[in-house]
Amino acid sequence: MSKLKQTYNSFYAKFFLFDDRFVLMTAGAVVGIFAGLAAVALRLSLATVLEFLAPYRQYAWAFILPGIGALFSFLFLDKVMREGAGHGVPEVIYAVSRRGGLLRFRSTFSRLISSFLTIASGGSAGPEAPVVMSGSAIGSNIAKFLGLNDRQRMTLVGCGTAGAIASIFHAPVAGLIFSIEIILGEWKFVNIIPIAIAAVAGAQVCEAIIPTKELFQPPPFSIFTGDILGSIGLALFTAVISVIFTRTLRKVGGLAKRTPVSPWLRAMIGGCAVGSIGIFMPMVLGEGYHPIMEMVGGTFPMAFWLIFIGIFLKIFVTAITLGWGGSGGIFAPCLLIGSLSGVVFYKAMMFIFPNAAVTSEGAYALLGMAGIMSGVMQAPLSSIFLIAEITGGYEAILLLLLVSSISSTLSHIIEPASFYFKDLIERGEFMRPGTDARILSDLSLNEIIDTNYTAVSENMVFREFINIIRNSDRNHYPVISDETGDYLGLVRVSNIRKYALDPAFYDMIFLNQIMDTDMVTASVDDNLHDVLEFMETFNIDHIPVVDHHRFSGMISKARILDLYRRELIMQTNIQ
Amino acid sequence: MNYKLLHIFRNTPFGRETFLQSLYFCKKINAHPVVYIPKTDKFLMYFSNDVVQVNLDNSFLAFPDTAHEHVIALFDEAGIPPRFYEPKDFTASTLPDISSQFDYMCSPRSISDRSSKIGLGLLGPKVRRMIKQATFPILIASPVFKAWKSISVFFGGSSNAMNALVLGLKIAIASGFPLKIYTVLEKDSEEVYRDMVRGSELEELVDQYVNEWCFYESSGFDRMLYEVPHDSLIVLGAYGHGVIKEILLGSKMEYIQSTVTNNLLVTGPNCRISLK
């Protein structure tokens, strides 16, 4: 047994520890495969149940189906899995941003099941955010199993995301870009290779199980000069719709929190409301891939006004589904709203300029998808490559670039934070790699605090104190209460010169008479960014850290700068 | 000393008894209890390589209007200034992140997925998981307040047990209470265990603070538990096994805590104890 262990250790040291890229590449492939399997499982189970329930949706009582689905989804998540609310992607971004990519093991399957219940019953949500959460949690837990460090763990979280997106859309490049653009936020060689491998592994798993390559297959189309102007117009339209979508999602979610109804009943009411709308307009139910296929293929039968109303109904039902207790993502709803917007815009354009030389309705549906995704997620590259890949062609790449860049820029001007980041930014928890806040948050407080300080008693006579400073090189001395051990104040050597130079004071004064009690203090729970702001505001170089009234140590500006430099060098040296 | 103990307060008579244990523990070792009054029935603790979600039962959310007032009254009774913990970060709106920068934590027994079995003395997977990941020792208080007057270290010779011995010495130094070591001889002789202590540079402290070192034959485990004084704080190391290992192999930790009524102080494999 011990020989086997020795052989394993020697192999591990020679192969993996030779260069951690091997570890990440191998683990990335494994993560990609598992994330791909999770995505395929959700996709196939959704297709099966949606097909099974399709004949029943024509009945009036079917409005209750999404209500039941949302109820079970909520109960599963809240009572069985005991997971917090939310659709998952911000939680993954938070984990990467603040917690070194740590995710709970239960997240590998909890969102998959709860989203399955919501979407399969007819709730308007997408399966992509749950698979992103699942894939990321798989990556995080594999990293945990292998005992990898924070940086490697974050890369594997990115691998999970890439594998999941690549698998569910059969779009490896989009998976890679989404993972880097949205989740990790940094383009680094050390990340790109394992994530690319994971994306390929995820896509291959999907292809092995579901041989059809592209999710949507548009007919071939040609691009004309008139399409440039058409694309600009469409970008403006989709930017506005994106902002409406983002704001409605947040408003309806906020309204749900203020509604004095128990959460499970709220989920049921929301689901039934979605089901009621779905009776009159079934295309707004579920993830909406089927109507998208029709629109991309140019065979969508609905009239202009119905499609126009459909955009807002889809926005509304998605907001109700996700805000009132259902589970799922906004990716697929974005695609449907985008394709509806594209078709509406095309029809309006054709009505005003009937003889305009422009490409087909299907192409505008594609451009609309890119426009809405770019506007809502403010991630133009992900949108461009996703649309190009899921339709199997790059014919419209120039127009995709145009629509995505204009739409994301405009929506960024109106709504500075994307849907994924907004909550985190409001809570001050969104930190991208390489930024000051992130580097400071990566520094451990224990590294910063200098605990090597001699505490002095409040009732100490000054003469005794003089003896202490004579044998010490410190300039600050925390004063502690004799009775409770609490921190009372600080004696700064620079402030006591007049007493020190006059021996008459030596036996006259006690430290509680000369200590500085007004000095601002920091707590161990404060982040370093706040501590630095304290220092700037009060123009001080040292700050005592007082944790629950106890003196914990001192933080000095010089030490922060020193460790900041070290951390910056370490982070930027990683190739 | 500047140690802090995290206590999750439950505003019920049972919760009060547990809090009294924390207060007593802190007074004896000159630490400070910091109370967290939960507003949600779950919270997260991020450790270096894992994130542990603690699921509380509903009794932790009972009578929120009087919780704060009851805590202050108990603090006053103990003569300790009240300290509260307010989480700043949230993974999701219902999942506060609780700092893992504490020196001790009091684990109410019902931090468990299987709260129906708490009466039977089961620890539950959550406590085990916390023990496994925590960098601080976890106090498992007896069901009713019970002042301890001595310290008993269960020393089995593993690295965890060595950690427990260091912790026991630390508590003995701080509290001034007598310390006894209890060892069940598995395969080795008494001398092997004594050599382990000699090899760990603890010999001087052990000579100074340990009153007695009791050895038992491997079949004498139950007798050892019976002979540990009822008013002694038991300090022991635990591994935090997974569920499968637990079912297959059983757990001494589980057995001890369901057999004795003493307060337990448990060190896990990631626990860092320093005598400084």
Side-chain angles (χ1 to χ4, degrees), chain B residues 52-187:
Chain B
V52 177
Q53 180 172 323
V54 179
N55 300 322
L56 305 168
D57 62 48
N58 278 335
S59 65
F60 279 86
L61 307 180
F63 321 116
D65 299 339
T66 56
H68 203 262
E69 173 193 326
H70 284 166
V71 172
I72 290 178
L74 290 166
F75 263 122
D76 286 347
E77 199 180 300
I80 299 175
R83 311 275 154 86
F84 291 93
Y85 179 79
E86 277 300 326
K88 282 185 175 176
D89 298 335
F90 286 79
T91 293
S93 56
T94 51
L95 279 175
D97 302 345
I98 302 295
S99 168
S100 52
Q101 303 268 342
F102 284 93
D103 304 294
Y104 299 93
M105 179 180 174
C106 176
S107 159
R109 284 178 185 234
S110 65
I111 293 185
S112 160
D113 276 347
R114 296 181 288 178
S115 45
S116 59
K117 294 182 179 175
I118 291 154
L120 301 175
L122 271 155
L123 268 177
K126 282 291 173 282
V127 173
R128 228 188 305 282
R129 186 101 179 270
M130 268 173 36
I131 290 169
K132 191 175 177 181
Q133 297 301 336
T135 48
F136 42 77
I138 291 182
L139 174 71
I140 300 176
S142 67
V144 286
F145 175 66
K146 187 172 179 178
W148 42 273
K149 303 276 183 338
S150 64
I151 299 145
S152 304
V153 174
F154 287 1
F155 181 73
S158 65
S159 57
N160 266 3
M162 196 60 85
N163 235 357
L165 179 60
V166 178
L167 180 62
L169 288 166
K170 189 173 175 166
I171 303 283
I173 294 166
S175 66
F177 284 143
L179 169 67
K180 272 188 185 182
I181 303 177
Y182 293 81
T183 299
V184 175
L185 299 169
E186 300 281 350
K187 289 174 282 183

Side-chain angles (χ1 to χ4, degrees), chain A residues 78 82 84-85 94 99 102 104 106 144 153 427 429 446 486 525-526 547-552, chain B residues 1-2 4 32 34 41-42 46-50 53 55 83-84 88-91 94-95 97:
Chain A
D78 194 60
R82 290 177 163 270
Y94 174 81
R99 304 290 177 190
L102 274 179
R104 286 155 291 171
R106 70 184 72 179
K144 192 165 80 184
R153 192 191 299 127
R427 280 165 23 201
E429 285 169 346
N446 292 329
D486 286 359
D525 290 331
D526 287 332
D547 187 30
H548 295 95
H549 302 272
R550 295 286 178 118
F551 178 79
S552 295
Chain B
M1 277 194 283
N2 191 22
K4 290 168 292 162
H32 241 92
V34 179
D41 63 351
K42 44 191 177 278
Y46 285 90
F47 296 101
S48 61
N49 197 33
D50 199 6
Q53 180 172 323
N55 300 322
R83 311 275 154 86
F84 291 93
K88 282 185 175 176
D89 298 335
F90 286 79
T91 293
T94 51
L95 279 175
D97 302 345

Side-chain angles (χ1 to χ4, degrees), chain A residues 68-80:
Chain A
I68 295 169
L71 173 68
F72 279 118
S73 168
F74 172 79
L75 291 178
F76 174 78
L77 209 55
D78 194 60
K79 304 291 177 201
V80 181

Side-chain angles (χ1 to χ4, degrees), chain A residues 194-195 220 243 421:
Chain A
I195 292 174
V243 173
F421 304 148

Side-chain angles (χ1 to χ4, degrees), chain A residues 325-338:
Chain A
S327 194
I330 56 158
F331 225 95
C334 274
L335 293 180
L336 180 59
I337 294 164

